[in-house]
Amino acid sequence: AIVLDVARSIDTAGETTKQTELEESVVNEMKTIASLCVSVLNLASEVSQINDESSDEASTKQDLAQQQILEAIVRLSPLIEQSALLTQTSVLTTGTIPQKLANALLPTYFPQCHLVTYFACILQGLCDVLDTCASGGAVEEVTRAILKDKNNSLSLWAFEITNTAGIPTMASLAFGTPNLKALNGSVDAYETLVASDMGGFGGIGGRDESFVMEDILQ
């Protein structure tokens, strides 16, 4: 989810700055991290189909998945920093959309939710948004790395993999039954706080980014 949003932010910045080329190293790193994450999700799907999750086969797959997700996490911070330099934005200090949603809503609405799990449950909503509004650029490059040769949309892939990998829905993780208005209110309050701390600048994407967050929560 974070890699896809970094790609979205690069494409958004490109539209406003007339940027026509992306640094190849940044795009390649996004594709590498995305491939690692896909591998983790595929391993999780395979483990879920093994009857005995304490078996040697399941343990081996779980160990490999853990190694790959740790590698992906370690590589995310440099990627976010490189993308901030590339797009000349404040994503490094304000964060990506998944990070902003987590900062705004955890732990208040999701007190028992692990941060990585929350990022995972954002994937479906973000892919739905990108499928309807994105074309070309960095998002397309990352999408190709995710789908490889599969003739799927990003949204359909996310739906299938989150189900087979056992990723919970955001609604199932929420404490109580917070409505969309309450969640959006917390996000708006967080955005206002960040903007005041940064002298009025609210981060990448401005109002468009707020719409993306609303769509994901919806």
Side-chain angles (χ1 to χ4, degrees):
I2 291 177
V3 175
L4 281 166
D5 191 61
V6 168
R8 178 204 59 80
S9 70
I10 289 175
D11 288 345
T12 300
E15 291 173 2
T16 57
T17 62
K18 306 302 181 183
Q19 182 180 324
T20 58
E21 294 182 359
L22 300 172
E23 286 190 10
E24 186 176 351
S25 61
V26 175
V27 175
N28 287 338
E29 184 66 0
M30 283 192 293
K31 291 161 69 174
T32 298
I33 298 174
S35 295
L36 279 170
C37 293
V38 170
S39 178
V40 171
L41 292 170
N42 288 337
L43 286 166
S45 297
E46 292 170 13
V47 169
S48 69
Q49 296 172 18
I50 299 174
N51 292 329
D52 182 6
E53 292 193 4
S54 63
S55 67
D56 289 342
E57 181 185 4
S59 297
T60 299
K61 291 181 182 294
Q62 289 168 345
D63 289 344
L64 180 57
Q66 185 177 47
Q67 293 171 13
Q68 291 180 338
I69 194 63
L70 288 174
E71 180 181 351
I73 290 172
V74 168
R75 299 176 77 153
L76 274 175
S77 291
L79 173 67
I80 293 172
E81 183 175 357
Q82 290 170 4
S83 69
L85 294 173
L86 177 61
T87 59
Q88 297 181 336
T89 63
S90 64
V91 67
L92 185 60
T93 51
T94 63
T96 60
I97 280 179
Q99 291 170 304
K100 287 183 178 181
L101 287 173
N103 289 341
L105 303 177
L106 272 63
T108 303
Y109 295 105
F110 303 90
Q112 304 299 322
C113 182
H114 189 281
L115 181 61
V116 175
T117 302
Y118 187 74
F119 288 156
C121 77
I122 289 173
L123 180 63
Q124 177 68 68
L126 181 59
C127 287
D128 289 346
V129 172
L130 293 178
D131 256 356
T132 59
C133 68
S135 60
V139 170
E140 182 175 332
E141 292 285 345
V142 175
T143 298
R144 287 176 181 169
I146 290 173
L147 299 180
K148 299 188 184 301
D149 297 326
K150 294 179 180 178
N151 188 25
N152 275 355
S153 66
L154 193 59
S155 179
L156 180 57
W157 166 80
F159 175 78
E160 292 176 347
I161 198 65
T162 53
N163 277 277
T164 57
I167 296 174
T169 63
M170 193 183 302
S172 70
L173 294 171
F175 176 73
T177 54
N179 58 41
L180 189 60
K181 183 177 181 180
L183 296 177
N184 283 331
S186 292
V187 171
D188 290 342
Y190 173 74
E191 288 280 89
T192 301
L193 177 62
V194 170
S196 64
D197 286 345
M198 298 186 64
F201 183 75
I204 290 179
R207 186 167 176 80
D208 288 341
E209 189 176 75
S210 296
F211 286 140
V212 173
M213 287 191 279
E214 288 181 14
D215 286 344
I216 290 173
L217 291 175
Q218 180 68 55

